[in-house]
Amino acid sequence: MPESESHARTHRGADLTHGPILPALVLFAVPTLISSVLQSLNGSINAIWIGRFLGEAGLTATSNSNLVMFLLLGTVFGFGMSATILVGQSIGRGNVDDARRAVGVTAFWFALVSILVAILGYIFTPEMLSLMDTPAAAASLATSYLRVIFLAIPGMFFLNFLMMALRGSGDSVTPMIFMGIAALMDVGLNPILILGLGPAPRLGIAGSATATLIAQYTGLGLMLVYIYWKDLSIRLRGAEWKYVRPAKALSASILVKGLPMGLQMLVVSGSAILMISFVNRYGITTSAAYGVSAQLWNYIQMPAMALGAATSAMAAQNIGAGNWKRVDAITRSGIIANVAMTGALVGLVYFADRAALSLFLGNQTATIDIAQHINAVVSWGFVMFGVMMVIFGTVRATGAVIPPLIIVTLSLVGVRVGITAFLEPTLGQEAIWWSYPISSAVSMVLAIGYYRFGKWREATMLAGPQPARTSQPEAEHASSPSKPSWIGVD
């Protein structure tokens, strides 16, 4: 049996290189969207428990801590995106063995970096919170919460890595299932460990973090069992375990391409930390209002994030197959879907945000009023944010990673933080809120300009033989050899 045929038979993800684009894109994005909803519902319900049981100080502690956690997630996000792209391009070429090579080497780097992050983060938790100007009333709670979260980091990071690799293979359903398991377990354990119900110890805010730790490691373990039980494309067996060693060529690609994508996440999280340092100066009421508003923003951003991930996976497979005409159609479909889905959520927030905010804040009218105003100014900008996410989903699928990093840095640090720092002495809090939609508009315009005029189509993930690039309208796919391996062996 030819090797390419054998590879095709062992692939169990979706083939995203054929058929109608918009339905396939939406169907692939929906499980990713549900995964994000479950993840954010998990965080929101936990915030409700903390807000009701531990008050505004507990809520502020978790919102400050979560920003640190997402900042650190950026240290490995780029590695995961590299794996997603490499797996997608390999699957598009019909070469599952190359996909497994990418998974093995990326797993090595994920394990190494996540363990280092956990150790250093646990040690330097107080210093990180101090840099954010965390209010004194919340600082000790945030320290207790965040130190347990750091112990959960390796399981959390590796679970996210496996989900990203599976999406690259065309499977967005399996990640949804195990995200759901972890989220339900986290939500269920939160009140038990916070309050010490039954035989459980009363841990307070550390109980919320402990619930996350248990849920993440359980979800990771169950997903690994499922991957091997179903013999999914990304599993390693026998001699394939040698792929875990840090092969030079593939490691170089993952690091060179992954670091800028990780830095992009760090810029996003870092700018958020800078912004919350501005917010924290206005006291715990404004900080709590901002933190709860950010909970709603998580949901508004979900369609854009899901469509960006779906666009990237779908574009990667088609790039691997050499079908460039279809890549442009994927981008257009992603933008259309984003405007419809994100726009609908923004409209819902304008009409129903008070009821949603009350879930977190009860009858704290002053805090709710501030949060409502923040949402009215900020929310509509996420439609523009979504356009940028879809465009960058396509662009990064080729391996073009530096221009998106520059655009994100310019818009979030140069524009968002710059506007706040320059206008806050005159406009006060309003400078903070208005900097969000203005920076989103700048990033969207720059992303469109780069997509239209940039040289992202000439980028590659690796040196060596690349997929054929066809521009003929009648060609559905360009043929490409399965040997020699385009990833290569060190």
Side-chain angles (χ1 to χ4, degrees):
M1 178 185 299
E3 187 170 359
S4 60
E5 182 180 347
S6 173
H7 288 328
R9 290 189 180 184
T10 59
H11 173 53
R12 295 178 181 269
D15 183 355
L16 303 174
T17 62
H18 296 85
I21 292 173
L22 184 57
L25 183 67
V26 172
L27 286 174
F28 187 83
V30 164
T32 304
L33 176 59
I34 293 173
S35 298
S36 298
V37 170
L38 291 171
Q39 195 169 25
S40 285
L41 274 175
N42 174 22
S44 297
I45 293 172
N46 292 349
I48 290 171
W49 290 125
I50 291 169
R52 293 297 178 91
F53 298 147
L54 301 174
E56 286 184 340
L59 199 60
T60 301
T62 55
S63 64
N64 279 251
S65 299
N66 286 338
L67 281 174
V68 175
M69 184 178 67
F70 291 133
L71 173 67
L72 295 171
L73 182 60
T75 62
V76 291
F77 171 82
F79 298 159
M81 277 309 309
S82 291
T84 300
I85 296 164
L86 289 168
V87 168
Q89 290 191 10
S90 298
I91 294 299
R93 289 170 60 84
N95 196 327
V96 176
D97 191 61
D98 276 352
R100 289 174 181 159
R101 292 177 189 273
V103 169
V105 174
T106 310
F108 169 84
W109 290 108
F110 250 87
L112 178 64
V113 174
S114 62
I115 291 170
L116 287 174
V117 167
I119 294 171
L120 294 175
Y122 188 92
I123 294 171
F124 294 106
T125 292
E127 288 77 9
M128 285 186 287
L129 294 171
S130 176
L131 287 174
M132 293 168 60
D133 291 328
T134 302
S140 62
L141 291 173
T143 299
S144 299
Y145 179 87
L146 194 52
R147 277 193 158 149
V148 179
I149 287 294
F150 275 117
L151 299 178
I153 284 288
M156 187 183 303
F157 282 9
F158 214 82
L159 179 61
N160 275 275
F161 158 62
L162 290 178
M163 291 193 295
M164 295 171 80
L166 283 168
R167 288 172 187 142
S169 75
D171 180 2
S172 61
V173 174
T174 299
M176 176 188 70
I177 293 171
F178 289 95
M179 176 54 69
I181 291 172
L184 288 173
M185 181 175 292
D186 197 345
V187 167
L189 288 174
N190 249 266
I192 294 173
L193 296 176
I194 290 174
L195 298 175
L197 302 178
R202 184 184 181 94
L203 299 177
I205 197 168
S208 179
T210 303
T212 298
L213 182 149
I214 295 171
Q216 292 295 315
Y217 282 105
T218 302
L220 173 61
L222 292 175
M223 179 181 274
L224 286 170
V225 170
Y226 183 83
I227 287 170
Y228 280 87
W229 177 44
K230 291 294 186 179
D231 198 33
L232 300 184
S233 303
I234 66 170
R235 64 99 181 110
L236 302 178
R237 291 188 189 277
E240 293 169 342
W241 281 105
K242 68 183 179 182
Y243 297 161
V244 175
R245 65 186 174 89
K248 293 179 183 178
L250 191 49
S251 291
S253 175
I254 289 168
L255 294 172
V256 170
K257 300 296 184 179
L259 284 175
M261 289 188 280
L263 284 172
Q264 185 174 320
M265 285 292 292
L266 290 174
V267 169
V268 172
S269 299
S271 69
I273 289 176
L274 289 173
M275 295 304 292
I276 204 171
S277 69
F278 286 110
V279 174
N280 284 339
R281 297 173 188 175
Y282 291 90
I284 199 164
T285 298
T286 300
S287 294
Y290 177 85
V292 173
S293 295
Q295 290 284 339
L296 296 185
W297 301 345
N298 287 337
Y299 294 100
I300 297 173
Q301 293 179 82
M302 283 178 191
M305 301 292 285
L307 287 165
T311 300
S312 194
M314 198 169 184
Q317 285 198 20
N318 283 274
I319 290 166
N323 190 0
W324 286 85
K325 179 185 175 184
R326 189 173 170 89
V327 170
D328 286 328
I330 289 167
T331 308
R332 290 193 298 270
S333 296
I335 291 172
I336 291 169
N338 164 71
V339 171
M341 296 169 70
T342 305
L345 280 180
V346 170
L348 182 63
V349 165
Y350 274 107
F351 286 104
D353 65 334
R354 192 170 192 90
L357 293 168
S358 298
L359 292 173
F360 301 95
L361 298 168
N363 60 356
Q364 300 173 42
T365 304
T367 308
I368 291 174
D369 289 344
I370 294 172
Q372 271 196 296
H373 175 67
I374 294 172
N375 283 330
V377 174
V378 171
S379 296
W380 60 277
F382 289 112
V383 176
M384 296 181 288
F385 165 82
V387 173
M388 179 197 73
M389 289 299 298
V390 169
I391 290 173
F392 285 169
T394 298
V395 166
R396 69 190 178 201
T398 67
V401 293
I402 299 299
L405 172 62
I406 293 171
I407 290 171
V408 169
T409 303
L410 179 63
S411 61
L412 296 189
V413 179
V415 177
R416 182 174 296 177
V417 176
I419 284 176
T420 302
F422 183 71
L423 294 180
E424 189 202 12
T426 303
L427 300 179
Q429 299 178 29
E430 291 302 304
I432 301 174
W433 318 142
W434 279 100
S435 70
Y436 279 85
I438 293 172
S439 63
S440 294
V442 170
S443 64
M444 181 186 71
V445 170
L446 292 176
I448 292 172
Y450 178 65
Y451 186 87
R452 177 67 180 83
F453 301 107
K455 297 182 178 180
W456 59 273
R457 292 172 181 83
E458 300 174 11
T460 57
M461 282 297 293
L462 291 164
Q466 296 298 320
R469 302 188 179 211
T470 179
S471 59
Q472 287 85 355
E474 68 274 9
E476 175 72 344
H477 292 284
S479 61
S480 55
S482 61
K483 283 291 181 180
S485 167
W486 72 292
I487 286 181
V489 181
D490 290 308

